[in-house]
Amino acid sequence: MASKEEKEAVHHHVLMVSFSAQGHINPLLKLGIRLVSKGLHVTLATTEVAQDRMFKSFAAAAATTTISSVSDIQLAFFSDGFDMDYDRKANLDHYMETLGKVGPINLSKLIQQHYHDKQKKLCCIISNPFVPWVADVAVEHGIPCAMLWIQPCSLFTIYYRFYNNLNQFPTLEKPDLTVELPGLPILNPQDLPSFVLPSNPFGSLPKLFIELFSNMKKHNWVLANSFLELEKEAIDSMSELCPIRPVGPLVPPSLLGQDHENLFDVGIQLRKPEDSCLEWLSNQADSSVIYVSFGSIIDLSAKEMEAIATALKNSKRPFLWVVKKPEFPTADKSGEIPQGFFEETKKQGLIVSWCPQTKVLAHPAIACFITHCGWNSMLETISAGVPVIAYPQWSDQPTNAMLVSDVFKIGSRLGTNEDGVVNSEEVEKCIEEIIHGVKSEEYKKNAMELKLAAREAVAGGGSSDRNIQLFVEEIIGS
Ligand SMILES: O=c1ccn([C@@H]2O[C@H](COP(=O)(O)OP(=O)(O)O[C@H]3O[C@H](CO)[C@@H](O)[C@H](O)[C@H]3O)[C@@H](O)[C@H]2O)c(=O)[nH]1
């Protein structure tokens, strides 16, 4: 039965604003559904390119969900200033710069259009870290602003200290400097997010974070997609500097054993999943399949694809490998399956262009997950209790891989050459180790313990549920 506070919250509206990437929209939607369950009205706004991709994947999937809402969450879209066929990934710097100029104007118009009458007053805008200008729009409209940090809290502590010059980090003169921060193990340069390294080639994203961390005071709340029991020391280390409240893991309720609690799954697919892989998994033995996926953004180089392919073939174990169809094909064959591999292994494994990942990870046939360590994938594998082989590429992923092997202890990290590239022998060795090696049982035991801890965090009265309840009470009262 709804509590007094929940009934009073019925007419409170929250607007969530996301960058148009799969790994960004997903956690906001999951938070949205938890806010709806506490009586709030929620709208998610993102850019029109996401709407275009959704239309394509909905049309193909003949989904029953309408495009103007997903379950009880309303959707709204604004222009990022570019045509649909503009290659945003290849022109990231120009794209992010333009979005930073056009986004605030168009979001502001959207707020005026949707929330002009007093009945529909916004009590909070929730942004994510990749749209830092949302806080300015919130201030301009006099609306309290929260941010949902969508990476580990450990990353928040690293960036906060880096962008506020609170600690020493590697420089061109001292590239091998190790970093000691409260709440974290000693970090070698290869454990740090690529954005803080002197070698970082991605201009626009660090610029975005500079803006974000200088704008931090404009956020009345910092929520995080994590849970206290997973990152307690890192979270506690921020309590004096900039408190961060974990409200996750923001993954499908079914993955957390919560489908009986009126918390339905809500998701937007920007690519069409091949659900038939679940049937294929059901024909495989329990804990036998190696699941391989590198998220929605990265394409591995031809050399890396070759190494993974050779190792999978030589392992002689069943595998499920997600190989995305490139949006804009490249001449260097990155992200492509090596020639002949599909034919050679069609009795051993399955290659799909996109899968229902959370259902795959929850399937009893899955033995381990070879992943780039995107934070959504990490939380999904933790919630499913599946051990990990980490092959991080950039951004937060190197730190997430360190968390996997050194803090959570649920798997290992692939060794690479100086250029960060793995070879097939290493992949093969790690597959054998995670399935049969000396540490295999320890990884499985730790993964199961974290799975249970994740369930407890989101259950009624658990650490994340309490933080959401407190947040709801505060925004209603603000
Ligand atoms: O076949 C697939 C593959 C992936 N997914 C889903 O796609 C999302 C992928 O998210 P994530 O694992 O976080 O990877 P990226 O898409 O690469 O995420 C970007 O955003 C994350 C959050 O900021 C960062 O942690 C990553 O480094 C960054 O690359 C997850 O929810 C997966 O379940 C599917 O549904 N089907």
Side-chain angles (χ1 to χ4, degrees):
M1 210 163 76
S3 67
K4 184 168 164 277
E5 287 82 358
E6 282 165 354
K7 280 183 190 155
E8 283 170 1
V10 160
H11 295 297
H12 290 88
H13 290 257
V14 171
L15 176 67
M16 306 192 298
V17 187
S18 179
F19 186 71
S20 62
Q22 185 80 64
H24 297 195
I25 292 175
N26 278 2
L28 273 168
L29 274 177
K30 306 289 188 271
L31 174 62
I33 209 70
R34 288 182 184 271
L35 296 178
V36 168
S37 79
K38 304 238 179 239
L40 300 183
H41 285 203
V42 177
T43 299
L44 174 86
T46 186
T47 53
E48 285 163 357
V49 64
Q51 183 182 32
D52 184 62
R53 295 214 192 119
M54 278 163 63
F55 261 125
K56 286 176 185 152
S57 79
F58 276 140
T64 49
T65 323
T66 68
I67 207 80
S68 60
S69 69
V70 181
S71 301
D72 285 339
I73 299 179
Q74 301 302 307
L75 300 177
F77 300 95
F78 57 95
S79 168
D80 60 13
F82 292 98
D83 290 341
M84 289 309 128
D85 54 3
Y86 178 73
D87 187 348
R88 289 159 174 79
K89 200 162 114 182
N91 301 289
L92 194 62
D93 287 352
H94 179 54
Y95 171 54
M96 295 308 284
E97 202 183 318
T98 310
L99 179 63
K101 287 182 191 145
V102 174
I105 299 168
N106 291 344
L107 178 66
S108 213
K109 279 189 203 152
L110 188 147
I111 292 172
Q112 274 154 8
Q113 278 161 11
H114 282 66
Y115 302 98
H116 56 276
D117 68 59
K118 289 213 173 80
Q119 296 302 315
K120 245 183 142 186
K121 193 170 167 288
L122 274 177
C123 61
C124 185
I125 294 185
I126 307 180
S127 69
N128 88 20
F130 292 81
V131 282
W133 41 265
V134 171
D136 296 320
V137 178
V139 169
E140 185 191 316
H141 287 265
I143 303 164
C145 184
M147 177 180 66
L148 175 66
W149 180 254
I150 54 171
Q151 296 182 351
C153 296
S154 305
L155 265 294
F156 187 80
T157 80
I158 294 172
Y159 287 132
Y160 189 92
R161 290 172 180 280
F162 177 76
Y163 290 111
N164 287 295
N165 291 319
L166 299 183
N167 294 77
Q168 281 207 317
F169 283 79
T171 56
L172 283 174
E173 294 71 36
K174 291 187 189 165
D176 299 326
L177 193 78
T178 55
V179 180
E180 261 183 82
L181 304 179
L184 290 174
I186 293 176
L187 301 165
N188 293 309
Q190 67 268 23
D191 301 327
L192 289 167
S194 56
F195 298 167
V196 308
L197 293 178
S199 55
N200 169 59
F202 298 96
S204 57
L205 294 176
K207 244 163 80 193
L208 210 73
F209 276 4
I210 293 172
E211 191 183 336
L212 175 74
F213 283 93
S214 65
N215 251 354
M216 201 48 79
K217 288 206 167 61
K218 293 183 183 157
H219 297 93
N220 307 58
W221 302 269
V222 181
L223 311 175
N225 187 12
S226 186
F227 56 104
L228 184 68
E229 295 73 11
L230 187 67
E231 294 192 275
K232 186 167 185 327
E233 290 176 17
I235 293 163
D236 287 350
S237 77
M238 290 307 292
S239 61
E240 305 280 305
L241 286 176
C242 178
I244 180 160
R245 297 186 196 177
V247 294
L250 297 168
V251 299
S254 56
L255 205 49
L256 296 161
Q258 283 193 312
D259 25 11
H260 55 287
E261 292 180 24
N262 290 336
L263 278 165
F264 34 88
D265 187 16
V266 55
I268 286 180
Q269 287 293 349
L270 302 184
R271 296 171 189 263
K272 182 185 171 243
E274 294 183 37
D275 291 332
S276 57
C277 65
L278 296 172
E279 215 177 297
W280 180 86
L281 280 176
S282 295
N283 291 324
Q284 310 301 321
D286 281 2
S287 303
S288 67
V289 176
I290 303 157
Y291 172 54
V292 190
S293 168
F294 300 100
S296 65
I297 298 172
I298 295 164
D299 292 319
L300 296 189
S301 68
K303 221 169 166 184
E304 292 170 303
M305 292 295 283
E306 183 75 49
I308 305 266
T310 307
L312 288 175
K313 194 170 76 183
N314 291 349
S315 79
K316 301 197 170 51
R317 296 178 186 282
F319 64 84
L320 173 62
W321 187 2
V322 178
V323 181
K324 298 182 290 290
K325 285 204 182 82
E327 262 180 275
F328 298 90
T330 55
D332 64 4
K333 298 206 176 305
S334 59
E336 287 183 26
I337 310 161
Q339 218 174 1
F341 179 74
F342 180 74
E343 283 302 314
E344 287 166 25
T345 57
K346 65 180 177 203
K347 289 204 180 113
Q348 181 191 348
L350 186 67
I351 297 172
V352 293
S353 62
W354 195 248
C355 77
Q357 178 167 298
T358 53
K359 289 184 185 154
V360 164
L361 286 169
H363 199 286
I366 297 296
C368 65
F369 182 11
I370 304 184
T371 168
H372 68 313
C373 297
W375 187 235
N376 296 289
S377 293
M378 297 288 309
L379 287 174
E380 289 160 7
T381 204
I382 284 169
S383 303
V386 173
V388 165
I389 296 176
Y391 189 42
Q393 303 291 304
W394 70 311
S395 180
D396 56 332
Q397 297 156 18
T399 317
N400 302 351
M402 179 281 295
L403 293 171
V404 161
S405 61
D406 300 359
V407 180
F408 309 154
K409 299 187 167 65
I410 55 168
S412 58
R413 177 177 181 164
L414 291 172
T416 62
N417 67 13
E418 277 175 359
D419 299 327
V421 176
V422 73
N423 63 37
S424 66
E425 291 80 14
E426 171 71 6
V427 182
E428 231 180 298
K429 187 188 92 193
C430 282
I431 291 175
E432 281 318 303
E433 272 176 13
I434 204 148
I435 293 181
H436 285 311
V438 279
K439 288 194 165 173
S440 164
E441 286 310 314
E442 184 193 336
Y443 293 150
K444 283 182 206 153
K445 181 175 155 278
N446 293 340
M448 286 315 289
E449 279 174 14
L450 285 181
K451 171 180 170 168
L452 292 179
R455 289 179 176 220
E456 278 168 24
V458 294
S463 55
S464 290
D465 182 65
R466 286 200 308 275
N467 279 341
I468 292 181
Q469 184 62 39
L470 189 65
F471 172 62
V472 169
E473 285 162 15
E474 288 177 4
I475 57 175
I476 288 173
S478 67

